[in-house]
Amino acid sequence: MENKKINIIIVDDHPIVIEGLKMMLSSQLGFTVSQSFTSGSEIIDFIKSHQVDIILLDITLPDANGIELCREIKKISPATSVIMFSNRSERSIIMQSIQNGASGYLLKNTSIDELVVCIQGAYSGNIVFCNETGKILSKPSQNDLPVPRLTKREKQILQMLAEGKTSIMIADELFLSPLTVDTHRKNLLQKFQAKNSIELIKLAAQHHMIEGNT
């Protein structure tokens, strides 16, 4: 068992990428690249009758979305570790890939040394990222920030701002001075860490804090 090589499959719609990866990985001790495919349907057919240790999977394929394909692969072969291998660096795509069962996410500018370490890590059961994707994930997105706690009055004013009402209109409707409304608006901007009212409303909608935006 100690001499068992890690069996790797490459799925990418660019033959030049496949050939480059084959050359680099086949030269590494303990690795064998047994197959490569350029479409999602081919890899699905293959894993139904073959055991695979690692699949390096591109996101953009001619017949499939790699993220959805990952989930399908894991249903058929739970023991197979899928590592997404892509040029896409959006945080949401990385997170969605992991949620769909991927064992890691690497960008295509990853070095061979880093690729080798990540394959070994995924084979051992770990979730792996290249340095760049690790940095992307370490930066919190607005959706990861805690939901601000608002007073009843702040909720009222937030809703009215979302309806397009000005400070003067809000002041008249709530029997407040425009200065008081502006103070509440500044507090809202601070609580949401928003630069302006447009960003404030967008963030509040993301947190489902505005009626009609749930």
Side-chain angles (χ1 to χ4, degrees), residues 59 67 88-98 105:
I59 284 180
I67 299 172
R88 301 289 298 274
S89 60
E90 296 94 322
R91 190 179 197 278
S92 58
I93 289 177
I94 300 169
M95 293 299 293
Q96 194 180 347
S97 297
I98 301 304
Y105 197 105

Side-chain angles (χ1 to χ4, degrees), residues 4-211:
K4 182 185 181 298
K5 290 192 172 185
I6 299 174
N7 178 21
I8 303 167
I9 301 289
I10 302 166
V11 186
D12 195 292
D13 64 338
H14 292 96
I16 194 166
V17 172
I18 290 174
E19 290 307 311
L21 284 170
K22 272 185 181 177
M23 284 180 62
M24 289 188 292
L25 293 174
S26 297
S27 67
Q28 300 294 318
L29 288 174
F31 288 177
T32 178
V33 180
S34 58
Q35 289 285 342
S36 61
F37 303 103
T38 56
S39 73
S41 57
E42 289 175 314
I43 183 61
I44 291 297
D45 288 341
F46 184 81
I47 62 169
K48 285 176 180 176
S49 55
H50 297 80
Q51 179 57 47
V52 180
D53 296 324
I54 299 283
I55 296 176
L56 286 178
L57 178 62
D58 192 10
I59 284 180
T60 309
L61 297 169
D63 64 339
N65 176 310
I67 299 172
E68 295 303 317
L69 189 61
C70 174
R71 183 165 55 184
E72 202 174 335
I73 290 168
K74 293 298 288 184
K75 282 181 183 176
I76 297 166
S77 181
T80 299
S81 295
V82 181
I83 301 175
M84 309 308 292
F85 194 65
S86 175
N87 286 320
R88 301 289 298 274
S89 60
E90 296 94 322
R91 190 179 197 278
S92 58
I93 289 177
I94 300 169
M95 293 299 293
Q96 194 180 347
S97 297
I98 301 304
Q99 287 165 3
N100 276 17
S103 293
Y105 197 105
L106 310 181
L107 298 180
K108 287 188 175 179
N109 60 3
T110 300
S111 69
I112 182 61
D113 290 340
E114 203 170 13
L115 178 58
V116 167
V117 169
C118 286
I119 289 173
Q120 290 169 337
Y123 182 67
S124 298
N126 300 317
I127 303 291
V128 296
F129 302 104
C130 62
N131 287 333
E132 203 167 327
T133 51
K135 287 175 184 175
I136 292 165
L137 291 176
S138 69
K139 296 175 183 174
S141 71
Q142 289 292 354
N143 286 337
D144 295 328
L145 295 173
V147 179
R149 295 175 67 88
L150 306 183
T151 65
K152 187 177 178 181
R153 182 66 83 192
E154 285 170 344
K155 288 176 184 175
Q156 271 185 314
I157 291 172
L158 176 63
Q159 181 64 38
M160 294 170 88
L161 286 169
E163 291 166 1
K165 294 176 181 176
T166 64
S167 292
I168 293 171
M169 291 165 71
I170 294 169
D172 286 343
E173 199 167 322
L174 298 180
F175 304 104
L176 300 171
S177 72
L179 185 61
T180 300
V181 173
D182 280 336
T183 300
H184 282 303
R185 191 176 68 84
K186 285 174 185 173
N187 289 340
L188 284 165
L189 290 171
Q190 190 173 18
K191 285 186 177 183
F192 280 91
Q193 298 180 28
K195 298 183 187 71
N196 51 48
S197 293
I198 294 171
E199 189 178 348
L200 167 66
I201 293 161
K202 181 183 173 184
L203 292 171
Q206 286 175 3
H207 286 303
H208 308 293
M209 298 176 76
I210 296 172
E211 290 178 20

